[in-house]
Amino acid sequence: MSILRTKLFQEIFETPLMIHPGKAKAAMIGLGGRIVDGGVVFSEDGIAAIDHWVDPQAGILSGRMANRMERDGHLPFDIVNGVAVIPIEGTLVHKGSYIGQSSGETSYQGIQTQVALAEKSPQVRGVVFEIDSYGGAVAGAFETAEMMRRLSAIKPTMSILTDFALSAGYLLASQARQIAMPNHGSAGSIGVITMHADFSRQLEEEGVTVTILTAGEKKAKGNPFEQLDAVYADDVRGQLEGMRKSFAEAVSAGRKGRISVADALGTEAGCFEGAEAKKLGLVDAIGNPNDVFAEFVAAVNRAR
């Protein structure tokens, strides 16, 4: 297996994801031909990509990106009459030393950097999270949500959906004081997904035998060269359910009584358009994103 295929497996298979199933399908459309002869076929989907500020070094523990920007006096977001606009768009990944999108991905590291600077900056009196995301990785999502919730306790915040806030995208959206969305956008998908690829029959047909040598009974559980063990599959489902509960708890904490943990779990990872999303307590208002933004900016400035 090539290095590229190994990386693809690490990112997609046997990894918990808070991503809309449609985006998981889209990933398999693009990558299927590299994994299975002839590729795979699902429904279409896609998100555009925009590149922004990039730091040559990774690592999140020191807050290196935020510290460097603060020293340079650089704020990596637009400010409109005291309101910072932080985009959360495309597929969400854990570590990525850049601000904004790179090849259709926004990193939690980049979002955290912007949130930290918005919290500290005296120029920022309020924050809008502009969200259009189907979600992404679990790793880094809850820590980012916690930072956003802390910011919301200090300064006025609002999540404005320009289209979708699903799965991890909704987790982050729910941490603002208010959420608004267009009538035909979509919010929710409070759930977790992972995928397993079984290549055992393909290898058998090609006359290839893979011998797996391990130390530790569970070391190779879930590998792609053998049929999925039923006991292991149940273990994974239990882990995913635990993550879904944590997801619902974080949403409830961010929404402050507007949706309970039980109600969040009761959505069963469904995706909801405007009126239904508001009825369920997933969002607070339905409206044109530009109009909602203008109203928020005006409200922040009236409160000065």
Side-chain angles (χ1 to χ4, degrees):
M1 184 179 291
S2 68
I3 293 175
L4 175 59
R5 286 184 67 183
T6 300
K7 179 169 175 55
L8 294 177
F9 268 81
Q10 290 173 340
E11 295 291 337
I12 296 175
F13 297 105
E14 312 304 332
T15 300
L17 301 172
M18 288 192 293
I19 189 168
H20 184 269
K23 295 306 293 180
K25 291 179 182 179
M28 292 307 300
I29 292 169
L31 301 176
R34 305 184 192 184
I35 299 171
V36 180
D37 290 341
V40 294
V41 179
F42 293 106
S43 59
E44 291 187 9
D45 220 331
I47 284 181
I50 302 172
D51 291 322
H52 287 298
W53 189 90
V54 178
D55 190 304
Q57 296 184 21
I60 62 174
L61 295 182
S62 66
R64 182 178 184 278
M65 287 208 299
N67 292 336
R68 176 176 167 182
M69 290 184 176
E70 193 171 20
R71 286 195 305 269
D72 294 344
H74 176 66
L75 293 176
F77 39 66
D78 290 336
I79 301 178
V80 180
N81 292 335
V83 174
V85 180
I86 299 178
I88 299 175
E89 300 175 327
T91 301
L92 304 177
V93 298
H94 188 191
K95 296 181 181 179
S97 300
Y98 56 87
I99 301 295
Q101 285 196 58
S102 178
S103 300
E105 296 179 341
T106 296
S107 74
Y108 295 127
Q109 182 178 0
I111 297 170
Q112 290 176 17
T113 296
Q114 295 176 84
V115 169
L117 290 170
E119 181 179 323
K120 291 181 180 180
S121 175
Q123 298 180 51
V124 176
R125 297 189 297 276
V127 177
V128 162
F129 300 107
E130 181 179 341
I131 300 180
D132 186 1
S133 173
Y134 286 85
V138 171
F142 290 107
E143 293 82 0
T144 306
E146 185 177 351
M147 287 185 66
M148 293 170 66
R149 186 161 66 248
R150 184 178 65 205
L151 172 63
S152 295
I154 298 170
K155 297 182 178 183
T157 60
M158 187 171 201
S159 290
I160 299 179
L161 283 54
T162 53
D163 203 351
F164 299 97
L166 299 174
S167 210
Y170 181 73
L171 170 65
L172 301 189
S174 68
Q175 305 310 303
R177 293 185 185 182
Q178 292 181 304
I179 306 175
M181 67 181 292
N183 191 46
H184 294 295
S186 189
S189 193
I190 302 173
V192 187
I193 185 173
T194 192
M195 293 178 283
H196 172 77
D198 179 357
F199 290 93
S200 59
R201 286 183 295 175
Q202 180 185 358
L203 293 172
E204 184 178 350
E205 292 172 358
E206 294 175 356
V208 177
T209 299
V210 177
T211 302
I212 301 173
L213 307 174
T214 67
E217 181 183 350
K218 298 181 180 180
K219 186 64 176 177
K221 291 292 186 182
N223 76 79
F225 309 116
E226 299 174 329
Q227 292 185 7
L228 186 62
D229 178 79
V231 174
Y232 173 76
D234 286 341
D235 288 344
V236 172
R237 290 188 188 97
Q239 293 168 8
L240 297 179
E241 187 59 34
M243 293 177 192
R244 184 172 81 107
K245 183 178 179 182
S246 295
F247 189 166
E249 290 171 346
V251 166
S252 183
R255 297 292 290 151
K256 294 184 182 298
R258 284 163 286 186
I259 184 169
S260 68
V261 173
D263 287 342
L265 291 171
T267 64
E268 292 295 344
C271 305
F272 305 94
E273 289 193 345
E276 186 69 11
K278 185 177 179 182
K279 179 180 177 181
L280 291 170
L282 294 171
V283 303
D284 301 292
I286 311 299
N288 181 289
N290 289 303
D291 294 341
V292 173
F293 177 68
E295 292 173 7
F296 181 79
V297 171
V300 167
N301 283 279
R302 283 196 301 270
R304 291 181 62 181

